[in-house]
Each structure stands twice: as structure tokens, then as C-alpha cells.
Amino acid sequence: MNDTIDQSRMCSVGLLTTDCYDDLGNFIVQADEAGHDFVVTPISHPTLRRVLNEDKSISEQEQRNWKDRPVFDRKDLVIRSAEWSGRAVGLLADWIQLDSSEPEVRMCSELALKQEMDWACHISLSGLIFPALPTGSLFNTARVINSAVKSMSYTQFLVRVPLTDKKNVQENLSWKQWNRFRTLTEYNTKIHVALEITSELPSDKQLLDMWLAEPIKAVIVPAEIFVENAKGYPVLSKPHQKFIQNLMDKMKPDMIVTLPPTQIHKKATPQSYSEYIGYLNRRLPPLKDVDQFASGYQDFLQAPLQPLMDNLENQTYEVFEKDPIKYQQYEKAVYKALLDRVEYDSDYVTTIMVVGAGRGPLVNCCLRAAEKSERKIHVYALEKNHNAYVTLQNAKADVWGDKVTLVFADMRKWTPPTKCDILVSELLGSFGDNELSPECLDGAQKFIKEGGISIPANYTAFASPLASTRLNNNVAAYKDLEHYETPYVVMFQQVCELAPPKALWSFEHPNTQGDIPADGDPMNNLHNVRYNHVEFTVKHDMVMNGIAGYFESVLYKDVMISIRPKTHSPGMFSWFPIYFPIRTPVQVPKDSTVSLQFWRLTDAKKVWYEWTVTVQGRNGEEMTTLPIHNVGGRSYFVGL
């Protein structure tokens, strides 16, 4: 593999030490020469521990003076000025005990923490790392930190969280403690994770994947977890490599290597560690076509398109026409339909109607399929967007000629001069039916001859419970109900599904189930109403932040397109998944059941979705029930 990589995928690498109290500047220079981008060091010298007065050596008067006006003495500080603040991340004192049973220790710890944080902000330190959370009670720790970070703007605050609990690697005890802490802080967006990799990794992949949904800003890799390769250089085991590279790929965290107190590998140096981390970074798997297309859009909330109510812009058409896989599959479907529909007949002309023709890519698919199948065709291309229609006119004049008849009309209202053998459309949205393909094709199916073919033939919506702190924070930033009740098209990045998706409902075309006259329009839209509930058993304690939605479509017989992860069409990027937020993060205990209730509803003017979530314990007791979201389409709907 090429040894170069897109710089946008490169992670910064830092060096952590707790033993540079006397000459930080020299340590930074040495770290820089060893290839490190920054250093991590304590803010203050251990002598500052005197504030706890554990040895009772400070008089009561001195204690009162310190508490009333705590001031650093220069000798107390490791990071003594702003000179190195851009190259250093500070470690908060590890002796701070905010949940100590001793009131005096708690009070002094709080004072010391605020003093260090104030100094770090004063000199614009790039980041602060809080030592590992206490294993027992952390109520006061959460209260103090939640209050203290409110005034922070430039300096990032991270909590050091071990990946696993040393005593029980196969349980997510460490995550549970982090989850308690961030719940107590009300998902404070100023608090991030410095994930410390442990020597043992859980064998259950989901216990690793669940960290992808957390706000990880840094990954700490202790020197002790490295092993020696045949030449004596420090390397990581294959499972460690894979997990760390996954974090690099999805999160792009700062990588921090800790130095051991004594050399533990023959050829271990600060440079050897930084070079190895860089080596892993350069050898990330190449970006897939979908990821390259989505660059810059990962976890970005986008409103779904409404092509029926709004005319799409030229740039939107152009972007999606670059998808080679979608049109490859459409061409294959038309080709097979032509072979099945018409035995070879040099005189018969197959009529194909492309509804919602846009700028003409499906028309081109039909013409190529006809050439390959050696069948004669005539195409009617319908489009209601007057701007896109001009592009169709250009294509007819310059390329298509008499093979194509253009029609400027809404497919639901047009009366065709003849019926078609094959009806082709690309009206699908990320949830299958969310761009009103059922309603549009209800109006267009009167174009089809008896026994005629619709491409697509059907599509199914899928849903699954999803964890993502990042998406939750993105929605919460709007601070209103409307955005919690609006679905978004999102290229998922920092997410973790609690369980694989399940099917909600399907639509078939032509629709023979609804009360639709053969040569007319439906009396109403009630036949397109849908409801279903699906249940998921969750194997580990997790948090649910929303619902992931996908679709899977049969174009014709065995020709499919899909964005469902298990059956995703390789290389297809026309659709990102859809994300339905929930108003409150839901705690999901191990072995509990998450039930999603979903409705697709309609009236004379609009279509909308409603959804809610319930959680039942392993014994069937109901633990959580959320309100029904988007009642009556009050926050989001698709206009008819």
C-alpha cells in the first residue's frame, strides 16, 4: 500500500509524561525532535498536594488564608507561562478526590481543581485531562466539573476513561461509570473522553464499537501495552491495531503515548512510539467511494429532499447523477424487463415511460438497455421541474432525437396518449417512501398496460435503535422541540447500532392492493398509511439517542439497490441513511427489549411520520416510555 495518506485523515500524536517538573521547555523540544506534535504533562507540581493538609503541617490560619484566596506560587507550577500553551495539554492533579467521604478533602479538592482550571484557561492551554473517574460515588465529581467547565471556551476538557475494567474485561463497567457521569452532567457538550487503551480487549465486538458513539477527542496508548517485534521495536497486537485504526478512521482523535518509568522494550524510544502510531495512521483502509463522496458530511444533519413539493436545483441533480452503481442497476433492471416483456420482434416497439425524469439519466439507462437487448423502444420522459425540462430538451435535440418524447407534466395529473409496457422511476428516499414515491406512482400506474412492469417493483423501510452522542448534541444545539421531531439524512460516522435493523413496511408497484381504479386516480391516500412495531434485544448496557432508518428496493426480479448495512449496494452513494431523533436519551440495560412504534400517516395535504420508543427489562417490566414524536406532523411533514 502507498505510504502516503490524505492529510485530513492524519491524527496528531502526543507524548505523556509525569516527570518533567523542572524543565518543560526542554521536554517539549525533545518530544518535537522525536516526532510528537504536543506533550501532555501535569499542570502543577505534586507539592501542591499540601492543600489537603493530610500531614496537618499547615496551621488553621494558613488553611483559611489559602481557601479564601488560593494563589499559585511559581514553584508549584509545571506549565508556568503561556509560552508553551499551544504545544501542551495539562493533566489535572491525580490526588484530587471530589467524592471523598472527608468534607475537608472534598472542599480542598474542589478549590484545587478550580485553581488549576482557571490557570489553564488563563494561559489558553489547548486541553485539560481529568484523571480517571472514581469507581464508587461520583455525584460530587459530576457536579463540580459540570459547573467548572461552563466558563471554558478555548480549552477542551477531557475525562480519562479506561477502555475496560481490569477485573472484568468482558463487561462494560468502565463505560457504565462514564455513562453515569455524563448523565449527571446532562450530556454537557464541553466534556469529552480521553479513552485509555487497556492491555486486554473484550472479545465481544459491540463492547468496542459502542465507544464509536462517545465523544472521544483523544486516545491514550500506554507504553506497557506494546509488545516487541522480532527486531525489538515496540508494536501493538493485531486486535489492538484494528481497534485503534477504527478509532482513527471514525473519530480522528489525538493519539497520546505514555512513557514508562523505565525502558521496557529493547529499541523503545519516544521516536519509535510516534513512528509506530504514524505507521498505523498511514495504513488506514482506503476510503470507499461512499466515504469519499461523503467527505465533510459525516454526522451532518441534512433535511430530506422534497422533490414533489420543491423543484430540485441543477447542482443537486448533478451530484446524484455521479452515482455509477444506481444507474448500473437500473440499466440492468430495464434490460431484463425488456427481455422478459418482449420476445425478439423486429417490428414491436416497447413503450417505456420514465416519470420524474430529472435531467435524463434514467432515459439514458433505458436507451443503453434497449441497445444491449436488441429491442426497439420509445421513451416518454415526464418532468414537472421547468428548469430540468430545459436540460431534457437539450438532450433530445443533441442526442436522443425521435426516440424520446418529452412531457412537461405532473405524473399524477397527466393523461397519456398510450399506455406503457414498462414504467421507470427513481423517487426513492432514504427511508424508501419518504419522498412520496407511493403517492406519485399511485397517480402514474394508470399509464401501465395490463401485466406491465414497474421499476422499482417494491421497497421496504428498515429501522434500528442507534447510539450517537454527536448526533444527539447536534440536534440538542437547536434547543427546541421541532428539531427533535424532524428526521434528517445523515452519513453516519460516530454511531453504534444497538441491534441490526428490522423491516417496518413495504410498498409494491403496480399497487393492486389499494382501491385504485385501473384507469383513474385513488379516491384518497389511506391505502398508503402504515403502522408497525419492531422489537430488539440489546445484549449490553447502552444508551439510545435515536433511530436509524434505511431502505431496500427490488428494481426488477433479482436486481436490487439497498442502503441497509447488511445488503448495501457496494459503491452506491446516492442515499445516506435517515435519522429520527428522540427527545430524551434512553438508558437501555443489558438484555432489555427496545420496541419502536412507527406510523406513516396522511391527510389531504401532507404525509408525515410519528414514532416512539419503549424499553422493557429482561422480565418484561416496562422501564421507559417516550412521548409520541411529531404528533399530527406538527414539526415535520412532506407536502403532497
Side-chain angles (χ1 to χ4, degrees), residues 67-83:
K67 292 168 189 172
D68 292 338
R69 187 173 175 272
V71 176
F72 274 125
D73 189 295
R74 185 176 182 277
K75 69 177 184 296
D76 291 328
L77 290 167
V78 176
I79 307 176
R80 295 174 180 172
S81 73
E83 178 184 2

Side-chain angles (χ1 to χ4, degrees), residues 126-201:
S126 60
L128 279 175
I129 299 179
F130 185 78
L133 296 168
T135 54
S137 170
L138 45 67
F139 293 103
N140 197 53
T141 300
R143 180 195 67 82
V144 171
I145 291 177
N146 198 36
S147 175
V149 299
K150 287 181 179 179
S151 60
M152 297 176 67
S153 53
Y154 174 77
T155 304
Q156 286 193 335
F157 189 92
L158 295 82
V159 175
R160 191 168 182 170
V161 181
L163 175 63
T164 64
D165 180 83
K166 292 182 179 179
K167 295 180 181 178
N168 198 337
V169 176
Q170 303 307 325
E171 293 289 338
N172 52 348
L173 300 178
S174 181
W175 177 88
K176 289 180 185 178
Q177 192 71 339
W178 155 249
N179 184 47
R180 292 188 190 102
F181 172 80
R182 58 95 171 271
T183 302
L184 289 167
T185 62
E186 205 173 8
Y187 286 74
N188 193 316
T189 56
K190 291 186 176 182
I191 300 174
H192 309 280
V193 172
L195 184 66
E196 183 166 7
I197 307 300
T198 47
S199 57
E200 289 189 70
L201 299 180

Side-chain angles (χ1 to χ4, degrees), residues 6 22 134 143 175 193 280 283 321 374 441 463 543 580:
D6 182 351
D22 299 322
R143 180 195 67 82
W175 177 88
V193 172
L280 293 182
R283 278 161 175 73
E321 286 172 14
E374 299 181 341
L441 293 180
V543 168
F580 293 85

Side-chain angles (χ1 to χ4, degrees), residues 289-462:
D289 291 342
V290 176
D291 297 313
Q292 291 180 10
F293 174 76
S295 180
Y297 287 94
Q298 289 90 347
D299 295 331
F300 180 75
L301 304 177
Q302 301 178 76
L305 297 174
Q306 296 208 24
L308 187 59
M309 192 166 65
D310 303 324
N311 285 329
L312 302 183
E313 295 180 355
N314 187 66
Q315 183 63 29
T316 304
Y317 287 117
E318 187 168 339
V319 168
F320 291 111
E321 286 172 14
K322 293 178 181 178
D323 189 328
I325 305 303
K326 175 174 68 173
Y327 295 113
Q328 174 183 298
Q329 293 298 93
Y330 264 96
E331 183 179 327
K332 187 183 296 184
V334 175
Y335 171 79
K336 290 193 172 187
L338 282 171
L339 293 181
D340 289 349
R341 182 69 179 164
V342 185
E343 292 294 333
Y344 182 75
D345 185 334
S346 59
D347 296 324
Y348 187 81
V349 178
T350 303
T351 302
I352 299 177
M353 290 186 182
V354 176
V355 292
R359 302 197 316 172
L362 286 186
V363 176
N364 289 324
C365 286
C366 295
L367 295 173
R368 289 194 299 267
E371 185 176 349
K372 289 180 182 178
S373 63
E374 299 181 341
R375 301 297 190 266
K376 291 181 180 180
I377 68 170
H378 186 79
V379 179
Y380 286 84
L382 278 71
E383 178 55 50
K384 71 174 184 64
N385 183 339
H386 56 277
N387 294 313
Y389 191 72
V390 175
T391 306
L392 292 176
Q393 290 176 313
N394 292 334
K396 176 176 172 61
D398 299 337
V399 181
W400 300 334
D402 294 338
K403 295 178 182 177
V404 178
T405 298
L406 302 183
V407 180
F408 179 61
D410 185 324
M411 70 185 78
R412 298 171 296 170
K413 301 175 182 178
W414 181 57
T415 301
T418 183
K419 290 195 174 187
C420 66
D421 298 279
I422 303 171
L423 182 73
V424 183
S425 66
E426 54 171 337
L427 307 170
L428 299 173
S430 296
F431 208 39
D433 56 78
N434 62 293
E435 292 185 11
L436 304 192
S437 179
E439 286 73 17
C440 292
L441 293 180
D442 279 351
Q445 75 175 39
K446 59 180 176 287
F447 306 164
I448 308 177
K449 295 177 181 178
E450 185 177 351
I453 295 167
S454 172
I455 297 173
N458 64 59
Y459 36 90
T460 302
F462 289 80

Side-chain angles (χ1 to χ4, degrees), residues 223-240:
E224 290 80 3
I225 74 169
F226 285 82
V227 296
E228 286 186 4
N229 65 10
K231 297 181 178 179
Y233 288 101
V235 297
L236 293 170
S237 68
K238 294 294 184 183
H240 281 90

